[in-house]
Every structure is written in structure tokens, then in C-alpha cells.
Amino acid sequence: MIYLDHAATTLPKPPEVIQAVTAAMASFGNASRGAHPYAMQAARTIYDTRVKLAKLFHAPCPERIAFTANATEALNLAICGAIPPGGHIITTDLEHNSVLRPLYRLQSEGQATLSFIPADAAGNIDPMAMQRLIRPDTRAIVCTHASNLTGNMVDLGKIGQIAREHNILLIVDAAQTAGAQPIDMQAMHIGILCFTGHKALMGPQGTGGLCLAKHVDVRPWKVGGSGFHSFAHEQPDQYPERLEAGTLNAHGIAGLNAALDILDAYGIKTLAAAEARLLHRFREGVASIPGITLYGDFSKPCRAPIVALNIRDEDSAVVADELVVTYGIATRAGAHCAPRMHTALGTQAQGAVRFSFSWQNTEAEVDAAVDALRSIAL
């Protein structure tokens, strides 16, 4: 099997990640629920992972990183817990349903009004359009760092500057870029960064979190056990426990910890450059195949390692099925939880076949995918 579905989840996980999870399963107690060695070992690993994530994202401190099950949970926490009710929120056509559905729910409950920055035919947005949409009651900008459909990245530097100038909270969905592109929360003026651990960070599924700037407060979405202040009626105010009611996925976090060591050893810029080479090799290989339509803007140097395409008017699911059954190539077809992006591209009915690459892929695998598409198209 040639695995080209890394935008969904990275596979295979590095051996160090698997070993770390296995070791944790055999030795971890419940962090913050005891002073014995097993509980302390879990607590130390969790804290060490916060330290590594704070370094990776240039977050203000480890204590302002709260773990969640995934980016979806982190985004729900951020959107529902940090934006004052009754205000105006700006977002974009590039968003995943992990952003859209929490926003739509706020809108349907009368808790927010929404404005969308439209995507053009290449799947890009104009950051300056945010400037024109800002109103006196604008409370937040919520946007992805990179489209999970086209791979196009937004200019977080410009968007963050606009948010800072107008004292507006910036919430970023970094599901596709955490571990794949450099992210500096402070330089980009990001208020809340939401990430998942199982994609480019190479950790286990069931790991993710959100990083908070110093000035940001988030109301707890769930409340319960914290390991301290047990007689208090309210969830503790102290971060990160304020947002981490209940037992954490310490075994998964141990795997994420090991994955972060790998990223640190190689360097994100080095891995991003390797992925970019594979992406452009694939794009150049398929661009000349008759009947293939590519989506997205490939003119910019920085983008997620994603290529979405269709073959004439063939249903994307049929093409993806042919790729896996006949050629042993794993991709993703359909709507990709990105309905507004498909509407902008005009692919609502057809969907698209998404190829997404990792530095773990090889040039031979890329060439095999190009050859398979050529055979299907001709």
C-alpha cells in the first residue's frame, strides 16, 4: 500500500512513538491523582510534553497549553468558551466543519453574527478583506492556517497584525500545519492556537490541544475532577486544569512526546522542504495528463503538502476506489468536511480526490501515483 492520506492522519507512526505508548501503558498511573511513582511518571511526561509544545509554537508558557482529544474539541473549547456572546465573528470560506459547525451553532442560538471572507477560484482569500469586515462589535477572527482541501495557506502574519490593531481575538485552526510549518504564536499575534497530534505532529490519535496567549481566558466547556480543590463547587481557575476536567490520555501524550523529539531532531523546516519537493514532483507529473483538473494555488512557496484533483467529470469516490483497489494507493475522496471550499471551487457534486504527502513518502511512491492517474485518465 502506498499511503498518500497524511492530511487525515499520519501513517505509519514512527517506531519511537509506538514504543513510548507501549511503555506508558505498562507504567503510567493517573497524573495529578496521587504522589506515588506511577502517577508522578505520568505527570512528568505530560508536563514535559507541554514544555516541548510551548517551544515548538512559541507559546507563552507550558501551563497555558491544555490537552484535548483532537483539534475539533480544541476549536469547540475556543469558540464556545472564549468569544463573548452576542458579538460579530469573522471567518473564511476555507474552513473545516470543526470551525464552521460551532460557529453555525452560535449563530442559530442567537449568540453571534458571522461574516465570511470569500475564496477566489484558486482557493485563496484576501487578508485585507478582514479589515473591511471589522465592525465595532467584532469579537473574534477564526481561521484555518491551511485549507485541508487545497493546501493553500493563509497569511497569519497579516491577519494577526489586523487582529492586534483592532484588539480582536484570533483563533487559529492549525490541524494541517502543526508540525508541518513553523508557527510562532507571539509573532503572529495568535490568541488561541488549536492543534491535533495525529497528523504532521506524528502522534497518536486522541491527542490534541489548544495554546493560549497570556491575555486570553477560556470558560470551561466541561467540568469535573481536577486532582485538587476537590471541595470547590467550580472548576479551578488555574490553567491548564481549568480546561482539563477528568483523566487525560496520558498514554497518547507519551507518544506525542516522543514524536516531538523526532520533529526537534530533524527540524520542521527540513521536513517541510522534503514534503514540498514531493508535492511539486507530483504536481508537475499530473499537470500534463489530459482530463485532470488541479485545485489550489501552486505559485506560492509555502503551502501544505496537499494536491486535490479530479479526472474530467468522474465521481471522485470512483477514482479513489480505483486507486486503492487496482494500484494500492490510499487517498481521500469526497467533500473533506470543507463545504464552503467546494462551493467556491464548483465541486459540490463531484467532490475531489485528495493526495497528501509526508516526508516519509518516497519519490518512487509519488511516481507510482502519477502513473496510476495517467492510466486511469487515458
Side-chain angles (χ1 to χ4, degrees):
M1 180 66 66
I2 296 174
Y3 187 79
L4 300 178
D5 194 22
H6 294 277
T9 195
T10 295
L11 186 74
K13 303 300 181 187
E16 296 90 337
V17 173
I18 298 170
Q19 292 162 9
V21 173
T22 302
M25 293 285 285
S27 61
F28 276 13
N30 200 334
S32 301
R33 270 65 170 182
H36 54 77
Y38 300 113
M40 294 303 296
Q41 186 173 352
R44 290 188 184 104
T45 298
I46 290 169
Y47 183 75
D48 186 56
T49 309
R50 297 190 210 275
V51 171
K52 292 174 182 177
L53 288 167
K55 176 185 175 184
L56 179 67
F57 298 134
H58 298 267
C61 62
E63 290 76 15
R64 294 189 69 81
I65 296 177
F67 288 110
T68 62
N70 43 54
T72 298
E73 185 178 344
L75 285 161
N76 272 269
L77 263 171
I79 291 168
C80 299
I83 304 174
H88 173 238
I89 302 170
I90 299 172
T91 187
T92 82
D93 278 349
L94 277 62
E95 306 310 315
H96 187 278
N97 275 334
S98 296
V99 169
L100 294 176
R101 285 178 174 162
L103 291 177
Y104 287 146
R105 184 170 68 179
L106 290 181
Q107 183 183 51
S108 68
E109 294 173 349
Q111 298 298 309
T113 55
L114 307 179
S115 293
F116 288 87
I117 300 175
D120 62 21
N124 290 318
I125 62 165
D126 177 10
M128 297 312 296
M130 287 187 177
Q131 189 92 38
R132 297 188 290 271
L133 289 174
I134 291 173
R135 306 184 331 204
D137 64 339
T138 301
R139 299 290 178 260
I141 296 170
V142 187
C143 72
T144 188
H145 192 188
S147 167
N148 74 310
L149 175 58
T150 66
N152 290 4
M153 291 179 61
V154 304
D155 190 338
L156 283 184
K158 288 184 180 178
I159 293 172
Q161 185 66 28
I162 291 169
R164 188 187 69 81
E165 289 173 355
H166 293 272
N167 195 29
I168 296 171
L169 174 66
L170 174 59
I171 300 174
V172 173
D173 173 7
Q176 293 299 332
T177 55
Q181 294 288 336
I183 297 175
D184 188 328
M185 283 188 65
Q186 298 182 56
M188 295 173 171
H189 306 291
I190 298 172
I192 306 178
L193 180 76
C194 301
F195 67 92
T196 194
H198 70 97
K199 298 188 181 187
L201 286 175
M202 301 182 296
Q205 295 176 7
T207 61
L210 65 171
C211 310
L212 309 179
K214 288 183 178 180
H215 65 281
V216 174
D217 187 41
V218 178
R219 298 182 302 279
W221 187 37
K222 59 181 178 179
V223 295
S226 58
F228 62 96
H229 296 330
S230 293
F231 289 95
H233 291 195
E234 306 291 334
Q235 193 71 10
D237 288 333
Q238 176 180 326
Y239 288 99
E241 292 84 2
R242 177 171 171 79
L243 303 178
E244 291 181 343
T247 297
L248 291 176
N249 178 13
H251 306 133
I253 293 170
L256 180 59
N257 186 289
L260 290 167
D261 287 339
I262 297 170
L263 285 174
D264 186 60
Y266 283 100
I268 285 181
K269 290 184 178 180
T270 299
L271 299 182
E275 291 171 348
R277 287 192 293 271
L278 294 173
L279 171 112
H280 291 296
R281 185 182 185 93
F282 177 80
R283 188 249 176 180
E284 290 174 1
V286 300
S288 61
I289 299 176
I292 285 188
T293 300
L294 296 171
Y295 304 102
D297 186 351
F298 296 90
S299 67
K300 297 179 180 179
C302 291
R303 56 177 290 111
I306 293 170
V307 178
L309 56 81
N310 276 315
I311 299 177
R312 289 182 286 276
D313 59 353
E314 191 70 63
D315 188 288
S316 62
V318 173
V319 175
D321 189 61
E322 180 72 9
L323 284 166
V324 71
V325 171
T326 304
Y327 301 96
I329 298 172
T331 62
R332 167 89 184 270
H336 310 88
C337 301
R340 296 185 70 94
M341 191 73 260
H342 276 285
T343 299
L345 298 174
T347 52
Q348 307 98 303
Q350 189 177 13
V353 185
R354 184 183 70 187
F355 294 77
S356 48
F357 304 92
S358 164
W359 57 273
Q360 298 181 83
N361 289 122
T362 65
E363 291 185 352
E365 291 175 326
V366 169
D367 294 342
V370 172
D371 290 340
L373 284 169
R374 183 176 292 108
S375 296
I376 294 171
L378 299 179

